[in-house]
Amino acid sequence: MPATQGPAATPNVCTMCNTVATIQCPTCSSSWYCSAACQLADAAVHNTLCGAANTPAPSSSHRRAILFPVDSPHPHFVWIHIDKISGEGFSEEIPEVRAYLGPDTGPLYLPVTKNALRGRALKDTLHVICREAFGFDGSPMNRAAYDATQGRMWIVWRGAVLAFKKQGLPGPRMQDYALPYSDIGVEDLRDVVDFFHTNFGGPGAPFVPFEAPFP
């Protein structure tokens, strides 16, 4: 993936180190880097989705998500239908994820508003959705999460995992559940993978790679 250099707008920061970015990925035009070294450091993760966000949505009620499958080493984009529930003074969007998580579980919603590994706040909320009791319900280890982190997961992610994006950040007058869903992109992949490295987004004990039960 060759790099192209050019002037960067002020908001563009390096995916890897948060400094001013001047190198844009020429394939997806989504991710920015401060140097060829940082681009190379991100390549193994970035290239799994680079250029793959071109499929149109099936309908205006679908949003793009990233699926980390159990039985594949690579994540991929999927379109998920979003149900809307509203009432008096209440509105919420619910993604239809049962087809991916399985009919025998409820979803666990994990909001992500910062990249703890790289010390940066996110502009939008990421939603990691997995099986409600993934840690002890007998689900197999997630192959895509394992490969993306090179086995350095602070938590052993099991079962299918989906990552979504929500517009904006929660606040005193806007709870996380009320934020509308938007399409997640290649530029969000690093933040999701870094979340897998941490203790649910917070600090954790030092970890070492472990052997995965994959052939």
Side-chain angles (χ1 to χ4, degrees):
M1 185 176 59
T4 57
Q5 295 194 7
T10 302
N12 294 324
V13 297
C14 181
T15 299
M16 301 301 287
C17 71
N18 304 333
T19 58
V20 174
T22 58
I23 301 174
Q24 182 183 29
C25 174
T27 302
C28 66
S29 301
S30 298
S31 297
W32 289 80
Y33 306 94
C34 68
S35 65
C38 276
Q39 186 179 24
L40 181 61
D42 189 42
V45 169
H46 178 82
N47 288 349
T48 60
L49 290 180
C50 182
N54 298 322
T55 306
S59 77
S60 60
S61 299
H62 283 76
R63 296 293 180 268
R64 187 193 302 118
I66 301 173
L67 171 65
F68 291 82
V70 169
D71 55 357
S72 171
H74 301 303
H76 58 267
F77 287 122
V78 292
W79 289 105
I80 303 292
H81 186 266
I82 306 295
D83 289 327
K84 294 185 178 181
I85 302 174
S86 59
E88 185 175 351
F90 174 82
S91 179
E92 184 176 1
E93 295 185 347
I94 306 294
E96 296 180 357
V97 296
R98 178 162 293 195
Y100 295 96
L101 301 185
D104 60 336
T105 183
L108 176 64
Y109 299 90
L110 300 170
V112 182
T113 58
K114 65 179 180 180
N115 186 320
L117 199 65
R118 302 187 190 279
R120 66 169 172 248
L122 305 184
K123 297 178 181 179
D124 295 295
T125 302
L126 299 179
H127 244 197
V128 173
I129 302 179
C130 56
R131 291 173 61 87
E132 190 172 28
F134 72 90
F136 49 88
D137 65 1
S139 297
M141 185 185 298
N142 188 292
R143 174 69 183 271
Y146 174 87
D147 278 29
T149 60
Q150 298 181 325
R152 293 179 176 269
M153 299 185 291
W154 199 90
I155 295 166
V156 181
W157 292 89
R158 298 182 180 277
V161 180
L162 290 142
F164 292 80
K165 179 189 276 189
K166 287 198 154 200
Q167 296 176 25
L169 298 170
R173 296 186 179 182
M174 180 63 75
Q175 298 299 315
D176 170 73
Y177 68 81
L179 296 172
Y181 281 96
S182 60
D183 293 339
I184 200 167
V186 182
E187 68 277 10
D188 303 304
L189 178 59
R190 170 54 63 182
D191 291 320
V192 177
V193 171
D194 285 350
F195 177 77
F196 292 155
H197 278 292
T198 64
N199 179 17
F200 288 123
F207 49 63
V208 295
F210 54 87
E211 279 193 42
F214 306 123

